[in-house]
Amino acid sequence: MFFLVLIYISATSSLWAAQTDSLLQALNEVIAEKESFTEAKEERIAAYHRALRSGNDHNRFQILQGLSEEYKTFIYDSAFAYTIRLQQEAYRLGSAEKIAYAKVKLAFILLSSGMFKETLDSLATIRVKGLPDSIRMDYYSILARACYDLGDFDRDRFYTPIYIAKGNAYVDSARSLSKPGDYAYLYLNGLKSLKNENTAMALADLTELLDSYTLTHHQLAVTASTLSYYYVLHNEPEKAIDLLAQAAMADIRSATRETSAMSALAELLYKKGDILNAYNYIQQAMEDAVFYGARQRKVQVGSILPVIAAARLTNVEEQRRMWLVYSTAITLLSVLVIVFAVITYKQLKKRKVAEKALQEANKIKEEYIGYYFNVNSEYLGKIEAIKKAVEMKLMTKKIDDIRFVINDINLKKEREALYNSFDKVFVKLFPDFVTIFNSYFRDEDKVVLKEGQLLNAELRIFALIRMGIHDTEKIARILDYSINTIYNYKARIKGRSIVPNEEFEKKIMMIHAL
């Protein structure tokens, strides 16, 4: 049962990791389209500006309201300026309801920029009694958020509980003005539960919003970001990362620049060890903070950015060392291919000369095959030229060129090609080797090669012995086997032979080349 649980946990973790990778890939794709979402928002803002310049005082408040709404999570200075103008227009119209509405909107913008005192001062000038429920609900919601944020900022054993208690009271007031079951009611309920460590209730409400409600991009971002805090508290970073990735995508699609999801995601990925994505996302977060222009957000992002940037530099150095290792491997393989080509070319030339001097050629060929395999241990001194070329790519930062070459390396395939080349050369020099070798066995014990096969592992061992390589350790190294494996092969072959064991290798050495 214990092992079944382990298997289940392992499978679940793998599936969650795959889901996380998929979400991060989706986020990267959305980031690539970020400019298009920004352009769409700027077009909406431009339309409001054109309407404002038309001089139609009848719709002036609605136009300023639209501009304030578009700018509030986009650019702080513009949001502040147009909300002040909205407030001035409300005073010009003499509407207490519109004045209160404008002050609530201004408080939201001030709070988003971290100006807690100014937020509370703005809200303190509002007479709530007699206002519509929608304005009153926003009023209490902003007060609740301000108190909760102050509690998080202070992190003091005395003052934080006071701010939490005040935030709870304001949440209760806001909820009383919303309909049970709608977005505002469930979100406020989940937020309050989370702040008061009633995590089970928070999980239920916020998960219900994500799973069962059709949310706007902004609502999705706020809800997913808030729920991620639950999983951080319960030490489930993968789930928190997934939610923050969803929140970040929703923020980008709504062209929201006043956001905390991207920086929180970067911090979790940094702790997880995903430095590359962490660095990319913290850069995005800083870009958004600078674009929005709120001091508090720039300070928050700026506190973690140097840490992630330093880790990235360290990671780049480690990757550079790894690329050097890979480049060395590539160089070795390249030199090996060149050596094989040169050796094959020279051998063909010597085969032609061998017709005139057969005895001398046989001796050269037999020594040459031994050199053919021993050269692998001497190629390190011959890779300097290619190594310099790889280092040049690193110096010119053409790192992708190296990665593409590395990805094409198949050591198993290269080794098989090495063996195949050896087999072809050996069989050409000793065309009767397999026939004579099989004559040392009964019919049922003879070596039967597969179609297209020139030598197998057993024949290759004794082919090397025929070439004068008797050292078992050296044979094992050439064929990439253990010494015990070579001993076992030799013992098994000799045991089946009709030739006495002590005579078998002598018989092998008597097989002549062309």
Side-chain angles (χ1 to χ4, degrees):
M1 182 64 181
F2 174 73
F3 291 107
L4 290 176
V5 172
L6 284 179
I7 292 170
Y8 171 78
I9 293 173
S10 176
T12 303
S13 300
S14 299
L15 288 172
W16 206 281
Q19 177 180 322
T20 298
D21 290 342
S22 177
L23 280 171
L24 294 181
Q25 177 61 36
L27 174 56
N28 291 335
E29 292 171 1
V30 173
I31 289 174
E33 300 174 19
K34 185 176 182 178
E35 194 60 33
S36 65
F37 297 113
T38 299
E39 289 173 359
K41 176 174 275 289
E42 289 173 340
E43 288 175 5
R44 294 195 298 272
I45 290 173
Y48 280 118
H49 279 296
R50 288 193 295 271
L52 191 62
R53 288 194 297 269
S54 69
N56 187 346
D57 289 343
H58 179 70
N59 293 325
R60 189 175 182 82
F61 184 87
Q62 286 74 22
I63 295 169
L64 289 169
Q65 183 182 15
L67 279 169
S68 172
E69 192 67 23
E70 290 289 350
Y71 275 125
K72 73 177 184 180
T73 59
F74 189 54
I75 300 175
Y76 168 74
D77 289 342
S78 298
F80 181 83
Y82 282 102
T83 306
I84 290 294
R85 290 181 64 179
L86 179 70
Q87 189 172 307
Q88 292 169 347
E89 181 66 14
Y91 276 109
R92 189 185 71 81
L93 294 172
S95 169
E97 179 180 322
K98 285 182 170 60
I99 292 170
Y101 173 86
K103 287 183 176 181
V104 169
K105 293 301 178 184
L106 180 62
F108 176 89
I109 293 165
L110 293 169
L111 181 59
S112 297
S113 68
M115 301 172 70
F116 297 112
K117 179 180 181 302
E118 291 77 4
T119 298
L120 297 175
D121 288 346
S122 178
L123 292 174
T125 63
I126 300 174
R127 295 188 63 180
V128 181
K129 187 176 180 180
L131 292 175
D133 288 352
S134 60
I135 297 177
R136 292 166 64 202
M137 186 178 73
D138 286 346
Y139 169 85
Y140 288 121
S141 296
I142 293 172
L143 274 173
R145 180 187 157 193
C147 289
Y148 286 150
D149 287 356
L150 280 167
D152 290 339
F153 181 80
D154 284 355
R155 295 186 180 277
D156 181 82
R157 286 183 295 177
F158 180 79
Y159 288 103
T160 294
I162 294 175
Y163 283 123
I164 295 295
K166 288 182 177 180
N168 293 342
Y170 289 132
V171 165
D172 290 341
S173 297
R175 283 192 309 172
S176 69
L177 297 168
S178 62
K179 296 179 181 178
D182 68 6
Y183 171 80
Y185 185 92
L186 283 173
Y187 177 75
L188 289 170
N189 200 48
L191 179 62
K192 178 184 176 182
S193 298
L194 199 58
K195 293 294 182 181
N196 290 272
E197 300 183 2
N198 184 1
T199 53
M201 183 66 73
L203 178 64
D205 289 333
L206 296 174
T207 301
E208 183 180 353
L209 281 176
L210 291 176
D211 293 345
S212 305
Y213 283 66
T214 301
L215 306 179
T216 66
H217 289 312
H218 184 65
Q219 289 172 339
L220 172 59
V222 171
T223 306
S225 186
T226 303
L227 182 56
S228 72
Y229 183 65
Y230 165 89
Y231 289 110
V232 171
L233 289 176
H234 286 76
N235 196 29
E236 297 184 65
E238 292 292 343
K239 294 182 180 179
I241 287 170
D242 289 356
L243 287 164
L244 287 170
Q246 294 177 55
M249 284 189 280
D251 281 330
I252 293 171
R253 290 184 175 118
S254 61
T256 296
R257 296 302 183 97
E258 199 295 298
T259 171
S260 61
M262 193 72 81
S263 59
L265 175 61
E267 188 170 356
L268 285 180
L269 289 172
Y270 163 72
K271 292 177 181 177
K272 181 186 175 185
D274 186 351
I275 303 301
L276 180 59
N277 277 323
Y279 181 75
N280 290 338
Y281 298 156
I282 201 66
Q283 289 283 78
Q284 288 290 325
M286 179 54 79
E287 178 186 310
D288 287 343
V290 171
F291 188 96
Y292 182 71
R295 294 182 296 275
Q296 180 203 22
R297 188 65 66 204
K298 287 188 281 188
V299 170
Q300 288 174 341
V301 177
S303 66
I304 185 65
L305 190 149
V307 178
I308 296 176
R312 181 177 180 270
L313 286 175
T314 302
N315 184 255
V316 167
E317 286 301 316
E318 290 176 355
Q319 288 183 344
R320 186 173 181 272
R321 287 193 292 270
M322 185 172 63
W323 288 331
L324 285 174
V325 172
Y326 287 158
S327 66
T328 302
I330 295 167
T331 302
L332 297 179
L333 289 173
S334 300
V335 170
L336 194 59
V337 170
I338 293 170
V339 169
F340 288 163
V342 171
I343 289 174
T344 303
Y345 174 74
K346 290 182 177 180
Q347 182 192 358
L348 290 173
K349 288 184 67 176
K350 290 182 180 180
R351 284 293 299 273
K352 293 178 181 179
V353 176
E355 294 178 2
K356 297 180 180 179
L358 183 58
Q359 238 178 4
E360 184 180 289
N362 281 341
K363 183 178 179 181
I364 292 173
K365 291 171 185 175
E366 290 176 13
E367 292 178 355
Y368 189 69
I369 293 293
Y371 165 76
Y372 179 83
F373 279 92
N374 282 299
V375 74
N376 290 326
S377 64
E378 301 173 358
Y379 61 73
L380 286 174
K382 302 177 183 178
I383 66 171
E384 188 63 26
I386 296 177
K387 182 180 178 184
K388 287 181 180 178
V390 173
E391 288 176 345
M392 182 61 68
K393 289 187 180 295
L394 290 174
M395 290 173 62
T396 56
K397 297 184 179 180
K398 293 182 178 179
I399 294 172
D400 287 339
D401 292 350
I402 296 174
R403 185 181 296 111
F404 292 145
V405 176
I406 291 171
N407 289 338
D408 288 335
I409 296 174
N410 187 329
L411 293 177
K412 182 179 179 182
K413 186 176 180 181
E414 292 296 331
R415 186 173 291 279
E416 289 174 354
L418 171 64
Y419 293 157
N420 188 50
S421 296
F422 168 73
D423 294 349
K424 288 179 180 178
V425 174
F426 183 84
V427 170
K428 283 181 180 180
L429 294 175
F430 296 88
D432 298 325
F433 181 84
V434 176
T435 302
I436 298 173
F437 184 93
N438 273 331
S439 70
Y440 302 150
F441 300 87
R442 301 179 187 88
D443 289 345
E444 64 271 18
D445 293 325
K446 290 181 180 180
V447 175
V448 179
L449 295 172
K450 297 178 181 177
E451 184 177 352
Q453 197 176 29
L454 297 175
L455 299 176
N456 60 13
E458 298 172 342
L459 288 169
R460 205 171 285 126
I461 291 171
F462 288 95
L464 289 171
I465 291 172
R466 176 61 189 89
M467 300 318 305
I469 304 174
H470 298 278
D471 186 345
T472 303
E473 184 176 349
K474 184 176 290 187
I475 293 173
R477 189 165 59 251
I478 290 172
L479 298 180
D480 195 30
Y481 292 146
S482 69
I483 295 175
N484 285 339
T485 300
I486 301 299
Y487 277 125
N488 289 339
Y489 269 124
K490 290 170 69 175
R492 188 162 57 245
I493 291 294
K494 292 178 181 180
R496 296 202 309 262
S497 174
I498 59 176
V499 176
N501 287 1
E502 63 274 15
E503 299 292 327
F504 189 83
E505 291 190 16
K506 292 180 182 178
K507 283 281 189 181
I508 293 297
M509 296 302 296
M510 292 171 64
I511 301 175
H512 293 291
L514 284 175

